[in-house]
Structure formats: structure tokens, C-alpha cells
Amino acid sequence: MDIQSLFAARSYASTRPALEPAPETTATAKQSFVALAEDFAQTVQAGEETAKAAMVGKADPHALVQALAQSELAVETAVTVRNKVVEAYQEILRMPV
């Protein structure tokens, strides 16, 4: 093995861990995604409960409109995020190898 190959191998070995994601970053991203999904589920569930209460006459119409608007916004946001993820996936598939 010549000296340049040895330096190249050492250089590659020292930079290789830098290319891998840090474990704490991955855990933080996972936790934030889980929190986002839980918040979405709670928003939709609160809207459904308010709608059920309004059907039996136990909820204020203003509260119903507000809960439905929040649910609609949450669903639109989830659909937009999903569309962006699908678009990014399709873009990755189009990349030449």
C-alpha cells in the first residue's frame, strides 16, 4: 500500500462518523414527530367530542365552529406535510444513481 492510499484511508475513516446522524438528533426528531402526531390526534378528537356535544345540545354553537375550524386546519396541515413527503420521495426516486 503506498503512502497516498494510506492517507486517503485514514482521512476516510476520520470523516466517516461525521456523515452519520448523531443519535441525539435522531431521538429529538423522533420525539418531536411523536408529539406532533399526538397533538394532531387530540385536536381531531376534541373536534369530534364538541360536535357530538353540539348534536345533543350540550355545546355552544360558537365552540362547535371553533373546534371544527381547528380540526380542519389540522387536517389540511397533515395533508400538506404528507404531500411534501411524497414529493420529496418522488424527487429522490428521480435522482440518477
Side-chain angles (χ1 to χ4, degrees):
M1 188 182 259
D2 65 347
I3 194 81
Q4 289 181 349
S5 299
L6 184 61
F7 285 138
R10 281 189 183 161
S11 178
Y12 175 74
S14 67
T15 59
R16 195 165 136 207
L19 300 175
E20 296 172 0
E24 61 273 357
T25 305
T26 306
T28 304
K30 183 178 179 182
Q31 290 170 352
S32 79
F33 181 74
V34 168
L36 181 70
E38 288 174 352
D39 186 41
F40 170 76
Q42 289 174 355
T43 302
V44 172
Q45 186 177 14
E48 289 177 356
E49 290 173 1
T50 305
K52 288 177 188 177
M55 284 186 223
V56 245
K58 294 182 180 178
D60 180 30
H62 176 64
L64 175 64
V65 171
Q66 184 178 7
L68 291 177
Q70 288 177 347
S71 296
E72 182 182 8
L73 182 62
V75 169
E76 287 177 359
T77 302
V79 168
T80 302
V81 169
R82 183 214 52 190
N83 290 344
K84 290 291 184 180
V85 168
V86 169
E87 185 179 316
Y89 177 74
Q90 289 173 342
E91 190 67 28
I92 290 170
L93 288 178
R94 283 188 233 126
M95 287 182 181
V97 178

XYZ file of all heavy atoms in Angstrom:
723
model
N 0.851 -1.167 0.000
C 0.000 0.000 0.000
C 0.904 1.240 0.000
O 1.782 1.364 0.837
C -0.899 -0.040 1.239
C -1.954 1.023 1.249
S -2.950 0.964 2.755
C -4.382 0.145 2.162
N 0.673 2.133 -0.923
C 1.511 3.336 -0.969
C 1.024 4.356 0.068
O -0.035 4.215 0.672
C 1.544 3.920 -2.378
C 0.194 4.426 -2.844
O -0.806 4.107 -2.178
O 0.146 5.135 -3.849
N 1.786 5.390 0.248
C 1.535 6.362 1.310
C 0.265 7.172 1.042
O -0.473 7.493 1.970
C 2.771 7.274 1.513
C 2.675 8.052 2.825
C 2.923 8.246 0.400
C 3.075 7.253 3.984
N -0.027 7.467 -0.236
C -1.228 8.238 -0.546
C -2.488 7.425 -0.252
O -3.484 7.976 0.231
C -1.197 8.676 -2.009
C -0.151 9.741 -2.285
C -0.153 10.175 -3.738
O -0.784 9.548 -4.575
N 0.570 11.241 -4.017
N -2.462 6.156 -0.524
C -3.617 5.311 -0.213
C -3.842 5.237 1.287
O -4.976 5.234 1.764
C -3.418 3.905 -0.770
O -3.275 3.944 -2.161
N -2.744 5.186 2.032
C -2.846 5.127 3.482
C -3.457 6.417 4.027
O -4.345 6.385 4.883
C -1.465 4.887 4.097
C -1.431 4.718 5.610
C -2.249 3.512 6.026
C -0.002 4.575 6.074
N -3.003 7.568 3.507
C -3.572 8.845 3.941
C -5.045 8.955 3.543
O -5.861 9.464 4.308
C -2.782 10.022 3.361
C -1.456 10.239 4.031
C -0.337 10.529 3.285
C -1.321 10.166 5.411
C 0.892 10.730 3.893
C -0.101 10.367 6.018
C 1.016 10.653 5.256
N -5.370 8.478 2.358
C -6.770 8.515 1.916
C -7.633 7.646 2.816
O -8.743 8.031 3.193
C -6.875 8.073 0.465
N -7.154 6.469 3.171
C -7.911 5.562 4.038
C -8.098 6.170 5.423
O -9.184 6.099 6.003
C -7.211 4.221 4.127
N -7.043 6.784 5.955
C -7.157 7.424 7.272
C -8.114 8.612 7.215
O -8.897 8.827 8.134
C -5.789 7.900 7.748
C -4.948 6.809 8.316
C -3.704 7.370 8.953
N -2.847 6.294 9.434
C -1.578 6.434 9.698
N -1.005 7.599 9.537
N -0.882 5.403 10.127
N -8.033 9.381 6.158
C -8.922 10.525 6.012
C -10.372 10.084 5.923
O -11.260 10.673 6.542
C -8.528 11.321 4.763
O -9.389 12.390 4.581
N -10.611 9.027 5.167
C -11.973 8.499 5.041
C -12.468 7.980 6.390
O -13.609 8.237 6.781
C -12.017 7.389 4.000
C -13.361 6.716 3.918
C -14.444 7.360 3.325
C -13.561 5.452 4.457
C -15.678 6.759 3.272
C -14.796 4.845 4.410
C -15.856 5.493 3.815
O -17.082 4.896 3.769
N -11.630 7.279 7.097
C -12.030 6.722 8.389
C -12.340 7.820 9.401
O -13.240 7.677 10.227
C -10.936 5.803 8.921
N -11.622 8.937 9.330
C -11.875 10.010 10.291
C -13.119 10.814 9.940
O -13.772 11.354 10.824
C -10.664 10.938 10.377
O -10.497 11.637 9.162
N -13.498 10.889 8.664
C -14.684 11.655 8.281
C -15.944 10.804 8.245
O -17.038 11.331 8.235
C -14.510 12.306 6.897
O -14.261 11.288 5.931
C -13.405 13.319 6.897
N -15.819 9.520 8.224
C -16.986 8.648 8.134
C -17.983 8.844 9.275
O -19.177 8.970 9.029
C -16.535 7.204 8.055
C -17.614 6.283 7.609
C -17.023 4.960 7.201
N -17.836 3.913 7.761
C -17.438 2.717 8.056
N -16.189 2.383 7.875
N -18.251 1.835 8.544
N -17.569 8.927 10.541
C -18.559 9.148 11.597
C -19.276 10.492 11.480
O -20.405 10.617 11.913
C -17.737 9.092 12.879
C -16.543 8.284 12.523
C -16.273 8.607 11.075
N -18.645 11.480 10.881
C -19.286 12.783 10.731
C -20.456 12.730 9.760
O -21.361 13.555 9.820
C -18.268 13.811 10.249
N -20.452 11.770 8.871
C -21.529 11.667 7.899
C -22.762 10.980 8.470
O -23.847 11.106 7.923
C -21.054 10.908 6.654
C -19.875 11.533 5.908
C -19.441 10.626 4.772
C -20.241 12.899 5.383
N -22.607 10.244 9.541
C -23.727 9.555 10.159
C -24.483 10.530 11.057
O -23.892 11.398 11.679
C -23.220 8.367 10.973
C -22.546 7.314 10.123
C -21.882 6.226 10.948
O -21.952 6.283 12.198
O -21.297 5.334 10.333
N -25.821 10.396 11.138
C -26.566 11.310 12.010
C -26.249 11.052 13.476
O -25.997 9.922 13.881
C -28.028 10.986 11.704
C -28.012 9.618 11.136
C -26.680 9.461 10.455
N -26.246 12.111 14.227
C -25.989 11.983 15.664
C -27.198 11.316 16.324
O -28.336 11.617 15.979
C -25.753 13.360 16.274
N -26.976 10.403 17.258
C -28.104 9.702 17.877
C -29.068 10.633 18.603
O -30.262 10.437 18.570
C -27.457 8.743 18.862
C -26.001 8.760 18.611
C -25.699 9.939 17.744
N -28.560 11.685 19.244
C -29.452 12.594 19.954
C -30.306 13.408 18.996
O -31.428 13.762 19.299
C -28.680 13.509 20.914
C -27.659 14.425 20.260
C -26.293 13.777 20.086
O -26.080 12.654 20.513
O -25.430 14.434 19.492
N -29.804 13.711 17.799
C -30.594 14.430 16.806
C -31.733 13.558 16.315
O -32.860 14.023 16.165
C -29.702 14.853 15.617
O -28.606 15.590 16.116
C -30.471 15.693 14.630
N -31.462 12.298 16.069
C -32.489 11.379 15.610
C -33.558 11.208 16.680
O -34.748 11.200 16.372
C -31.864 10.021 15.251
O -30.812 10.237 14.318
C -32.881 9.094 14.650
N -33.145 11.075 17.929
C -34.106 10.912 19.017
C -34.964 12.163 19.168
O -36.175 12.065 19.384
C -33.379 10.601 20.315
N -34.366 13.329 19.034
C -35.116 14.572 19.147
C -36.123 14.702 18.013
O -37.262 15.107 18.241
C -34.155 15.774 19.148
O -33.206 15.598 20.192
C -34.899 17.069 19.351
N -35.722 14.358 16.805
C -36.640 14.425 15.674
C -37.779 13.439 15.854
O -38.937 13.759 15.567
C -35.887 14.139 14.380
N -37.460 12.258 16.351
C -38.493 11.247 16.589
C -39.472 11.727 17.649
O -40.689 11.596 17.485
C -37.840 9.937 17.016
C -38.814 8.811 17.228
C -38.095 7.535 17.608
C -39.067 6.401 17.857
N -38.369 5.175 18.264
N -38.958 12.307 18.721
C -39.819 12.793 19.799
C -40.710 13.930 19.316
O -41.891 13.993 19.669
C -38.982 13.249 20.985
C -38.316 12.120 21.727
C -37.309 12.614 22.747
O -36.993 13.802 22.799
N -36.798 11.712 23.560
N -40.168 14.821 18.494
C -40.981 15.935 18.013
C -42.054 15.444 17.048
O -43.168 15.957 17.038
C -40.112 17.008 17.371
O -39.738 16.649 16.077
N -41.745 14.423 16.238
C -42.750 13.872 15.334
C -43.855 13.180 16.120
O -45.039 13.324 15.790
C -42.118 12.896 14.340
C -43.101 12.331 13.367
C -43.587 13.094 12.338
C -43.558 11.025 13.509
C -44.510 12.586 11.451
C -44.483 10.503 12.632
C -44.964 11.285 11.589
N -43.484 12.452 17.167
C -44.484 11.787 18.004
C -45.372 12.827 18.683
O -46.597 12.677 18.739
C -43.797 10.868 19.039
C -44.764 10.405 20.105
C -43.177 9.671 18.341
N -44.771 13.891 19.186
C -45.544 14.956 19.831
C -46.485 15.618 18.828
O -47.635 15.929 19.160
C -44.614 15.989 20.440
N -46.019 15.808 17.613
C -46.853 16.403 16.567
C -48.037 15.504 16.240
O -49.176 15.975 16.111
C -46.014 16.651 15.309
C -46.725 17.281 14.132
C -47.058 18.728 14.436
C -45.850 17.188 12.902
N -47.791 14.204 16.119
C -48.873 13.258 15.815
C -49.881 13.193 16.960
O -51.097 13.145 16.721
C -48.288 11.877 15.536
N -49.412 13.210 18.194
C -50.316 13.188 19.342
C -51.160 14.458 19.400
O -52.358 14.405 19.686
C -49.527 13.009 20.637
C -48.961 11.627 20.824
C -48.066 11.501 22.041
O -47.751 12.542 22.681
O -47.668 10.368 22.364
N -50.544 15.601 19.111
C -51.271 16.866 19.103
C -52.347 16.861 18.015
O -53.466 17.327 18.239
C -50.305 18.026 18.894
C -50.990 19.372 19.024
O -51.829 19.522 19.936
O -50.675 20.273 18.214
N -52.016 16.323 16.852
C -52.990 16.218 15.761
C -54.167 15.359 16.183
O -55.330 15.726 15.998
C -52.321 15.640 14.513
C -53.288 15.281 13.422
C -53.858 16.271 12.640
C -53.628 13.963 13.178
C -54.756 15.960 11.636
C -54.523 13.628 12.179
C -55.092 14.632 11.399
N -53.884 14.200 16.784
C -54.951 13.285 17.211
C -55.831 13.937 18.277
O -57.065 13.793 18.250
C -54.352 11.986 17.727
N -55.228 14.655 19.201
C -56.001 15.326 20.245
C -56.895 16.416 19.666
O -58.043 16.583 20.095
C -55.072 15.919 21.299
C -54.402 14.897 22.179
C -53.378 15.519 23.123
O -53.097 16.715 23.048
N -52.823 14.709 24.010
N -56.390 17.157 18.684
C -57.176 18.219 18.064
C -58.392 17.648 17.348
O -59.510 18.153 17.497
C -56.312 19.016 17.068
O -55.189 19.560 17.764
C -57.090 20.135 16.420
N -58.185 16.583 16.590
C -59.296 15.969 15.866
C -60.296 15.360 16.846
O -61.513 15.493 16.683
C -58.779 14.927 14.857
C -59.915 14.138 14.242
C -57.972 15.618 13.766
N -59.798 14.712 17.887
C -60.681 14.103 18.876
C -61.502 15.165 19.612
O -62.695 14.972 19.868
C -59.873 13.285 19.874
C -60.733 12.510 20.853
C -59.894 11.647 21.784
O -58.680 11.801 21.876
N -60.550 10.731 22.483
N -60.890 16.287 19.942
C -61.618 17.369 20.611
C -62.713 17.915 19.700
O -63.822 18.224 20.168
C -60.660 18.483 21.015
N -62.433 18.028 18.414
C -63.450 18.477 17.465
C -64.614 17.510 17.380
O -65.784 17.924 17.332
N -64.304 16.218 17.382
C -65.373 15.210 17.343
C -66.225 15.242 18.608
O -67.455 15.148 18.540
C -64.768 13.819 17.168
C -64.194 13.578 15.797
C -63.523 12.213 15.680
O -63.444 11.478 16.689
O -63.067 11.900 14.571
N -65.588 15.378 19.754
C -66.335 15.435 21.014
C -67.220 16.674 21.075
O -68.356 16.608 21.548
C -65.368 15.398 22.197
C -64.686 14.063 22.384
C -63.607 14.076 23.446
O -63.395 15.136 24.074
O -62.970 13.029 23.641
N -66.706 17.794 20.600
C -67.506 19.014 20.588
C -68.689 18.872 19.635
O -69.798 19.320 19.931
C -66.644 20.227 20.187
O -65.514 20.297 21.057
C -67.419 21.518 20.277
N -68.467 18.230 18.475
C -69.553 18.012 17.517
C -70.623 17.102 18.111
O -71.828 17.352 17.944
C -69.003 17.418 16.230
N -70.202 16.054 18.814
C -71.171 15.162 19.464
C -71.975 15.916 20.526
O -73.198 15.734 20.647
C -70.458 13.976 20.102
C -69.926 12.969 19.120
C -69.173 11.862 19.852
C -68.470 10.932 18.903
N -67.672 9.907 19.618
N -71.289 16.739 21.299
C -71.971 17.515 22.337
C -72.946 18.521 21.720
O -74.028 18.763 22.269
C -70.950 18.227 23.217
N -72.584 19.083 20.582
C -73.465 20.054 19.928
C -74.709 19.368 19.375
O -75.795 19.964 19.335
C -72.724 20.771 18.813
N -74.588 18.117 18.951
C -75.745 17.390 18.415
C -76.802 17.126 19.489
O -77.985 17.088 19.191
C -75.288 16.058 17.810
C -74.624 16.195 16.479
S -74.309 14.575 15.804
C -72.662 14.798 15.193
N -76.350 16.947 20.716
C -77.296 16.701 21.795
C -77.683 17.988 22.523
O -78.456 17.948 23.465
C -76.737 15.688 22.819
C -77.528 14.438 22.858
C -75.295 15.428 22.707
N -77.138 19.106 22.087
C -77.491 20.387 22.668
C -76.682 20.770 23.890
O -77.065 21.662 24.633
N -75.566 20.120 24.123
C -74.743 20.412 25.302
C -73.589 21.369 25.007
O -72.896 21.779 25.927
C -74.159 19.116 25.868
C -75.184 18.177 26.438
C -74.533 16.956 27.025
C -75.569 16.013 27.599
N -74.962 14.790 28.136
N -73.383 21.731 23.740
C -72.255 22.598 23.393
C -72.758 23.873 22.736
O -73.789 23.892 22.064
C -71.292 21.882 22.468
N -72.013 24.915 22.933
C -72.295 26.217 22.329
C -71.991 26.148 20.831
O -70.978 25.557 20.432
C -71.396 27.244 23.029
C -71.586 28.645 22.514
O -72.700 28.973 22.071
O -70.606 29.417 22.576
N -72.833 26.746 19.977
C -72.536 26.732 18.536
C -71.200 27.393 18.193
O -70.508 26.968 17.265
C -73.696 27.505 17.916
C -74.801 27.423 18.909
C -74.139 27.319 20.246
N -70.833 28.410 18.956
C -69.548 29.073 18.721
C -68.396 28.110 18.992
O -67.413 28.074 18.235
C -69.432 30.313 19.602
C -68.110 31.008 19.494
N -67.673 31.594 18.330
C -67.123 31.177 20.412
C -66.457 32.104 18.533
N -66.109 31.869 19.788
N -68.502 27.310 20.055
C -67.465 26.328 20.374
C -67.380 25.269 19.287
O -66.292 24.800 18.941
C -67.748 25.684 21.718
N -68.534 24.894 18.725
C -68.549 23.913 17.640
C -67.830 24.444 16.413
O -66.989 23.752 15.824
C -69.988 23.529 17.284
C -70.151 22.610 16.082
C -69.514 21.261 16.368
C -71.600 22.465 15.707
N -68.120 25.671 16.030
C -67.469 26.267 14.862
C -65.967 26.382 15.090
O -65.163 26.075 14.198
C -68.093 27.650 14.535
C -67.285 28.379 13.480
C -69.531 27.490 14.096
N -65.575 26.778 16.279
C -64.156 26.912 16.595
C -63.459 25.547 16.558
O -62.358 25.420 15.991
C -63.973 27.557 17.962
C -62.529 27.823 18.323
C -62.388 28.513 19.678
O -63.376 28.678 20.392
N -61.179 28.896 20.019
N -64.074 24.521 17.118
C -63.474 23.184 17.125
C -63.376 22.628 15.717
O -62.371 22.008 15.346
C -64.287 22.248 18.014
N -64.389 22.848 14.908
C -64.357 22.368 13.520
C -63.292 23.100 12.708
O -62.615 22.495 11.874
C -65.731 22.516 12.870
C -66.826 21.591 13.403
C -68.151 21.880 12.722
C -66.435 20.138 13.234
N -63.114 24.385 12.952
C -62.083 25.150 12.246
C -60.686 24.647 12.636
O -59.805 24.503 11.777
C -62.215 26.638 12.558
N -60.492 24.348 13.913
C -59.202 23.818 14.352
C -58.946 22.440 13.757
O -57.835 22.141 13.330
C -59.150 23.753 15.879
C -59.026 25.106 16.540
C -59.057 25.010 18.060
O -59.410 23.973 18.621
N -58.702 26.094 18.723
N -59.981 21.612 13.717
C -59.831 20.277 13.118
C -59.522 20.376 11.634
O -58.674 19.643 11.111
C -61.101 19.456 13.322
O -61.322 19.218 14.683
N -60.213 21.279 10.957
C -59.975 21.460 9.521
C -58.543 21.927 9.259
O -57.871 21.424 8.346
C -60.966 22.467 8.945
C -60.817 22.682 7.458
C -61.790 23.719 6.912
O -62.488 24.382 7.697
O -61.840 23.862 5.676
N -58.075 22.856 10.059
C -56.704 23.349 9.906
C -55.688 22.235 10.171
O -54.697 22.104 9.440
C -56.456 24.523 10.848
C -55.085 25.181 10.768
C -54.860 25.790 9.375
C -54.944 26.244 11.829
N -55.948 21.406 11.180
C -55.037 20.306 11.495
C -54.992 19.293 10.358
O -53.915 18.821 9.972
C -55.464 19.630 12.789
N -56.152 18.968 9.783
C -56.191 18.004 8.678
C -55.499 18.581 7.445
O -54.734 17.886 6.762
C -57.645 17.587 8.379
C -57.741 16.802 7.086
C -58.203 16.773 9.526
N -55.753 19.849 7.139
C -55.098 20.481 5.985
C -53.575 20.500 6.165
O -52.828 20.278 5.213
C -55.624 21.893 5.781
C -57.025 21.946 5.221
C -57.558 23.364 5.095
O -56.839 24.321 5.459
O -58.698 23.511 4.644
N -53.118 20.759 7.383
C -51.682 20.765 7.651
C -51.096 19.367 7.476
O -50.031 19.206 6.868
C -51.407 21.272 9.081
O -51.966 22.572 9.218
C -49.927 21.323 9.370
N -51.793 18.350 7.984
C -51.315 16.975 7.838
C -51.261 16.564 6.371
O -50.303 15.912 5.934
C -52.209 16.024 8.618
N -52.252 16.955 5.595
C -52.266 16.623 4.167
C -51.131 17.333 3.443
O -50.459 16.742 2.584
C -53.635 16.970 3.544
C -53.597 16.914 2.034
C -54.706 16.029 4.076
N -50.872 18.578 3.792
C -49.781 19.325 3.170
C -48.427 18.689 3.492
O -47.579 18.542 2.605
C -49.799 20.791 3.637
O -51.063 21.363 3.301
C -48.694 21.592 2.986
N -48.234 18.290 4.739
C -46.976 17.631 5.123
C -46.833 16.314 4.380
O -45.762 15.985 3.863
C -46.906 17.435 6.651
C -45.755 16.530 7.044
C -46.783 18.770 7.344
N -47.910 15.552 4.307
C -47.863 14.279 3.576
C -47.510 14.504 2.114
O -46.681 13.792 1.542
C -49.214 13.563 3.676
C -49.183 12.206 2.996
C -50.446 11.789 2.347
N -50.960 12.803 1.447
C -52.144 12.742 0.902
N -52.950 11.754 1.189
N -52.552 13.680 0.077
N -48.111 15.511 1.499
C -47.813 15.804 0.095
C -46.348 16.187 -0.099
O -45.720 15.780 -1.077
C -48.721 16.917 -0.427
C -50.154 16.462 -0.576
O -50.444 15.267 -0.582
N -51.066 17.413 -0.690
N -45.799 16.946 0.823
C -44.389 17.326 0.728
C -43.480 16.108 0.880
O -42.460 15.998 0.192
C -44.032 18.377 1.793
C -44.650 19.727 1.541
C -44.026 20.375 0.339
C -44.567 21.769 0.150
N -43.985 22.427 -1.005
N -43.828 15.193 1.777
C -43.027 13.981 1.959
C -43.076 13.125 0.705
O -42.048 12.616 0.244
C -43.503 13.196 3.205
C -42.898 11.809 3.250
C -43.185 13.964 4.470
N -44.258 12.969 0.132
C -44.392 12.182 -1.100
C -43.620 12.843 -2.237
O -42.930 12.171 -3.010
C -45.882 12.000 -1.473
C -46.040 11.429 -2.867
C -46.562 11.103 -0.460
N -43.700 14.155 -2.330
C -42.967 14.891 -3.363
C -41.456 14.715 -3.206
O -40.738 14.503 -4.188
C -43.341 16.374 -3.276
C -42.757 17.242 -4.356
C -43.200 18.689 -4.192
O -44.388 18.926 -3.930
O -42.337 19.572 -4.332
N -40.975 14.774 -1.977
C -39.542 14.573 -1.736
C -39.129 13.148 -2.082
O -38.064 12.925 -2.674
C -39.214 14.873 -0.270
N -39.971 12.174 -1.743
C -39.678 10.781 -2.072
C -39.611 10.591 -3.583
O -38.714 9.931 -4.100
C -40.744 9.867 -1.460
C -40.567 8.412 -1.802
C -39.559 7.664 -1.215
C -41.408 7.784 -2.721
C -39.387 6.332 -1.521
C -41.247 6.452 -3.039
C -40.241 5.728 -2.441
O -40.074 4.417 -2.753
N -40.548 11.182 -4.294
C -40.541 11.066 -5.755
C -39.315 11.744 -6.352
O -38.743 11.260 -7.330
C -41.818 11.664 -6.340
C -43.039 10.830 -6.051
C -44.325 11.492 -6.490
O -44.365 12.705 -6.722
N -45.381 10.705 -6.581
N -38.895 12.843 -5.766
C -37.693 13.536 -6.238
C -36.452 12.672 -6.020
O -35.564 12.622 -6.866
C -37.541 14.877 -5.514
C -36.483 15.761 -6.080
C -36.799 16.277 -7.478
O -37.985 16.420 -7.822
O -35.834 16.518 -8.232
N -36.402 11.985 -4.902
C -35.287 11.078 -4.630
C -35.271 9.938 -5.647
O -34.218 9.522 -6.133
C -35.344 10.542 -3.192
C -35.023 11.674 -2.218
C -34.394 9.378 -2.991
C -35.275 11.336 -0.780
N -36.445 9.421 -5.982
C -36.525 8.345 -6.952
C -36.057 8.781 -8.343
O -35.540 7.978 -9.116
C -37.946 7.798 -7.052
C -38.427 6.963 -5.872
C -39.870 6.532 -6.098
C -37.555 5.752 -5.661
N -36.238 10.056 -8.657
C -35.823 10.578 -9.958
C -34.324 10.843 -10.069
O -33.811 11.090 -11.151
C -36.573 11.860 -10.283
C -37.979 11.623 -10.736
C -38.618 12.905 -11.222
N -39.875 13.040 -10.490
C -40.266 14.066 -9.784
N -39.516 15.147 -9.735
N -41.401 14.058 -9.157
N -33.630 10.822 -8.943
C -32.194 11.112 -8.956
C -31.424 9.996 -9.669
O -31.689 8.827 -9.430
C -31.651 11.235 -7.532
C -32.044 12.467 -6.832
S -31.275 12.495 -5.199
C -31.902 14.013 -4.588
N -30.481 10.388 -10.503
C -29.657 9.349 -11.148
C -28.692 8.737 -10.137
O -28.193 9.409 -9.244
C -28.900 10.107 -12.245
C -28.913 11.516 -11.792
C -30.149 11.721 -10.958
N -28.426 7.470 -10.325
C -27.538 6.764 -9.391
C -26.126 6.772 -9.893
O -25.768 6.739 -10.983
C -28.018 5.316 -9.183
C -27.072 4.582 -8.261
C -29.408 5.332 -8.603
